[in-house]
Amino acid sequence: MNECQTYPSPFRKHKQGTQPDHLHAGYVSSMKRAPLQPLVTITPTLSELTGPLFGRDEIVAGECNMTRSANGGEAQGQRIAVSGRLLDEGGAPIRNTLLEVWQANAAGRYLHKWDQHDAPLDPNFSGEGHVLTDDLGRYSFVTVQPGSYPWGNHHNAWRPAHIHFSVFGPAVCTRLVTQMYFPGDPLLPFDPIYNCTADSAARERLISRFDWNTTIPQSTLGFVFDIHLRGRYATPMEEGHDDH
Ligand SMILES: [Fe+2]
């Protein structure tokens, strides 16, 4: 997280297949953007490493509730609580770190001009949230179960339900992005993005687990998703820009 290397990846030392391939034939847009030349290390400037900061003082540590709009309206869909820990290779917590999440609504539609597929928007759901990890590296947020959605990768292509995560280091260039999936999703075996990570054990670390301990009676299902930044249990991270 303290490095600022665009290429080669800070994950280059990981076991082969445990991070997404730059070029994955089934993920059509990766064919256009995957680098064809040897990777080049970009040395960060001092200003890139020292700023800007992300205004953590303006973010209140604790829960983020995405199911309530600013005007008090309630989002449609199955409420879920997602929680977990942000950890390094030794299992030590990574504290006071900004996580951003974004997702489709319960109908599988993003609040974004590029998403015009035939599913309803929810006026009470923006699909965006942010939260800080605490002293034990823990985070939690409440949202609604995202819907699956169609995309243009190939005929009858559908993304499995997922939540995008961004983990910010101390500067703009120290950002890691991944996607969290849900257990038992029938679309997972067919998803080119999920399958960009060749190693099956690493790939399965992208799937959250259902958790009774964080399930709230009469209200909210609990899912746990831990993020490991390095080491043998490292969470696969996307390097390229992901539109989906
Ligand atoms: Fe997405």
Side-chain angles (χ1 to χ4, degrees):
M1 289 294 289
N2 293 321
E3 292 181 333
C4 182
Q5 293 178 307
T6 302
Y7 299 110
S9 158
F11 302 110
R12 64 195 183 283
K13 295 176 183 173
H14 287 211
K15 180 183 170 188
Q16 188 171 12
T18 61
Q19 295 292 315
D21 291 332
H22 287 110
L23 194 157
H24 184 75
Y27 185 5
V28 173
S29 57
S30 75
M31 304 285 281
K32 297 179 181 175
R33 66 179 180 230
L36 301 177
Q37 301 296 321
L39 304 183
V40 175
T41 297
I42 298 174
T43 304
T45 64
L46 184 62
S47 61
E48 285 173 331
L49 289 177
T50 57
L53 299 176
F54 290 103
R56 288 169 171 76
D57 292 344
E58 299 172 9
I59 300 172
V60 178
E63 277 197 4
C64 162
N65 188 342
M66 297 162 61
T67 68
R68 294 272 183 186
S69 67
N71 62 15
E74 195 159 355
Q76 296 285 329
Q78 168 66 61
R79 281 187 294 268
I80 60 172
V82 180
S83 61
R85 297 182 73 196
L86 182 64
L87 302 164
D88 70 12
E89 69 268 46
I94 299 177
R95 305 178 175 91
N96 194 36
T97 296
L98 176 62
L99 303 184
E100 286 187 338
V101 295
W102 63 99
Q103 63 168 92
N105 67 22
R109 182 159 172 191
Y110 285 99
L111 182 60
H112 193 285
K113 62 182 180 183
W114 289 355
D115 187 350
Q116 297 294 326
H117 95 273
D118 185 19
L121 289 171
D122 183 341
N124 294 315
F125 188 72
S126 73
E128 300 172 338
H130 53 248
V131 64
L132 288 175
T133 60
D134 68 9
D135 284 345
L136 296 176
R138 297 177 301 193
Y139 74 88
S140 66
F141 60 93
V142 177
T143 183
V144 296
Q145 171 82 34
S148 303
Y149 58 81
W151 62 311
N153 190 71
H154 55 273
H155 175 67
N156 206 12
W158 290 78
R159 292 296 329 275
H162 59 277
I163 298 176
H164 298 265
F165 277 69
S166 165
V167 182
F168 274 107
V172 166
C173 60
T174 52
R175 185 189 190 204
L176 299 171
V177 175
T178 192
Q179 297 184 31
M180 180 199 105
Y181 299 92
F182 292 87
D185 193 319
L187 294 170
L188 280 171
F190 309 102
D191 183 49
I193 295 180
Y194 175 68
N195 286 297
C196 279
T197 302
D199 185 288
S200 61
R203 198 165 59 230
E204 287 173 10
R205 292 198 285 276
L206 294 170
I207 304 174
S208 59
R209 63 178 171 83
F210 171 68
D211 180 50
W212 280 116
N213 292 326
T214 52
T215 291
I216 304 169
Q218 309 294 326
S219 167
T220 306
L221 294 177
F223 292 88
V224 171
F225 182 58
D226 291 332
I227 301 173
H228 297 252
L229 296 189
R230 295 178 293 268
R232 64 186 299 193
Y233 300 117
T235 303
M237 296 286 178
E238 302 161 5
E239 290 188 63
H241 178 71
D242 177 53
D243 304 325
H244 303 286

